[in-house]
Amino acid sequence: MIGTVFQSEDVPTADRFDYWRELISRTRSTDFISPYSAQFWGELQLLELGPATVMQASFLPTRFRRSPKMVRQSDPELYHLTLLLDGEMALEHASRTDTFRTYDLHLADSSQPWDLRSLDNQESRVFKGVGVDFPKALLPLPPHRVREVLGRGLSGREGVGALLTEFLVGLVRQVETLQPCDAPRLGTVALDLISAWLAQELDAEAALPQETRQRATARRIHAFIRQNLHDPELTPPAIAAALHISLSYLHRIFQQQSPGETVAARIRSLRLEGAHRDLTDPSMRTTPIHVIAGRWGFARASDFTRAFRVAYGHSPREHRLQAASERE
């Protein structure tokens, strides 16, 4: 695993709030106020992904303030992205006030003051979120354009915002399996998705470097494929049309990011992997094989059986029987 983990129970009660503040302050120079500081509860994971730091936090109602004095004393020149996973918060920043709720995103600038506070102070209410802190110089968009979105609550439920949300949620779910060698690549993916998301919000995709656009497009392609594997009509032309790109551009981007593999081959491979798992799942042992095939987008059971045998060296039925005998 990579990163630092803090859990309230690991620290004496009297020290919990101060220690939690110290960890967050490694990247976010902020004042903290909480009515529950004396009996604080919180969990925090800090992941160092190259130039980006990702934090997953769960905590009782807290107020986070960065004053003009703090800005003058020290400015790390960072952008702070926050994805709220549970709760409702209000933010005053960059001459605007806005609220954001579950699966909303917002961006803050360390060069300007902010005041972020929980809107529900019930003691049982736990707020959850994921943050990404990264150098402002690494965002390939003009600062005057970025100022247009500072402090605004923006949806992470659609478009590239949904793709960014999916990546961040998946990242923290898989944190225990990540190794230090994964960090630089994951940091690059995070920055590409953040850049593409902001460019979409600002209608400024043309301002992104070509390489960033291509990597972000590749992420959109793979995400669309995963989300639509059940659809028998999932084909390269259908993907290109859904993502509003040309078929030739789809194939070119795919080859750049996945050399030696075609779009159709990738779809077939993922479908077979899904069916392979279902056939060994005890909870699906009575589900007919043709139903499993249809669940993964194979319209004809014979096509599924043929493709499965080529991929795994035996039929779906033989695979299910072998898995059952191994469990006994």
Side-chain angles (χ1 to χ4, degrees):
M1 191 183 73
I2 57 178
T4 302
V5 178
F6 161 73
Q7 294 179 319
S8 298
E9 293 76 11
D10 298 336
V11 180
T13 302
D15 299 332
R16 289 174 181 174
F17 189 62
D18 288 339
Y19 184 56
W20 185 76
R21 291 171 60 187
E22 187 271 328
L23 286 178
I24 292 183
S25 294
R26 292 182 184 181
T27 57
R28 299 192 176 190
S29 180
T30 308
D31 283 332
F32 300 81
I33 303 171
S34 174
Y36 307 105
S37 58
Q39 298 289 331
F40 187 72
W41 181 92
E43 294 182 349
L44 179 69
Q45 291 180 323
L46 282 175
L47 311 178
E48 302 292 341
L49 304 182
T53 299
V54 175
M55 64 173 70
Q56 179 192 27
S58 302
F59 51 91
L60 290 174
T62 303
R63 187 174 185 175
F64 308 84
R65 299 180 64 189
R66 179 164 170 78
S67 67
K69 181 179 179 180
M70 297 180 73
V71 173
R72 291 193 300 270
Q73 289 176 336
S74 174
D75 183 7
E77 293 285 337
L78 296 175
Y79 282 128
H80 305 291
L81 173 76
T82 300
L83 165 66
L84 189 61
L85 296 178
D86 194 6
E88 183 175 2
M89 305 191 79
L91 174 65
E92 295 180 24
H93 182 55
S95 301
R96 63 169 56 94
T97 300
D98 205 350
T99 60
F100 59 109
R101 300 171 178 80
T102 302
Y103 290 109
D104 280 350
L105 295 149
H106 80 265
L107 188 72
D109 181 348
S110 69
S111 301
Q112 300 188 48
W114 67 64
D115 187 345
L116 175 64
R117 61 188 183 278
S118 309
L119 292 182
D120 186 347
N121 288 320
Q122 296 181 18
E123 185 171 358
S124 60
R125 181 55 148 169
V126 173
F127 290 78
K128 298 179 181 180
V130 180
V132 185
D133 301 333
F134 57 96
K136 292 159 64 174
L138 294 183
L139 185 64
L141 292 168
H144 72 277
R145 294 302 312 276
V146 178
R147 281 196 292 271
E148 298 175 27
V149 297
L150 292 177
R152 288 172 48 193
L154 302 167
S155 175
R157 305 175 193 85
E158 55 194 20
V160 182
L163 188 57
L164 174 58
T165 294
E166 178 187 357
F167 171 76
L168 293 177
V169 171
L171 180 65
V172 296
R173 283 177 178 169
Q174 298 296 322
V175 65
E176 293 186 358
T177 67
L178 300 178
Q179 301 299 320
C181 60
D182 299 320
R185 177 181 58 83
L186 293 171
T188 298
V189 172
L191 291 174
D192 284 342
L193 290 175
I194 291 170
S195 300
W197 165 66
L198 288 171
Q200 183 183 68
E201 292 289 341
L202 295 167
D203 193 22
E205 285 91 344
L208 295 177
Q210 182 180 15
E211 186 175 350
T212 298
R213 293 200 306 270
Q214 289 176 343
R215 289 196 298 255
T217 299
R219 296 288 304 184
R220 292 175 62 204
I221 292 168
H222 286 288
F224 186 84
I225 289 173
R226 290 196 306 272
Q227 293 164 3
N228 293 276
L229 287 172
H230 64 281
D231 185 357
E233 301 301 318
L234 181 66
T235 61
I239 296 169
L243 298 181
H244 307 291
I245 58 178
S246 69
L247 183 59
S248 60
Y249 186 65
L250 167 68
H251 287 301
R252 184 165 70 252
I253 291 295
F254 200 89
Q255 279 300 302
Q256 289 173 348
Q257 302 297 319
S258 304
E261 185 179 39
T262 66
V263 180
R266 181 61 173 167
I267 293 171
R268 182 171 60 254
S269 175
L270 290 174
R271 284 173 167 167
L272 288 170
E273 288 175 11
H276 187 273
R277 289 193 301 271
D278 284 355
L279 288 167
T280 61
D281 186 345
S283 68
M284 301 187 69
R285 63 184 181 276
T286 61
T287 303
I289 291 176
H290 74 271
V291 173
I292 291 177
R295 183 170 182 251
W296 289 102
F298 290 95
R300 296 171 54 181
S302 58
D303 291 341
F304 168 63
T305 299
R306 188 180 307 110
F308 194 96
R309 186 182 292 277
V310 169
Y312 298 107
H314 47 250
S315 71
R317 182 175 180 276
E318 291 168 340
H319 176 64
R320 171 177 269 179
L321 291 173
Q322 178 180 348
S325 64
E326 291 175 351
R327 289 194 300 268
E328 293 176 354

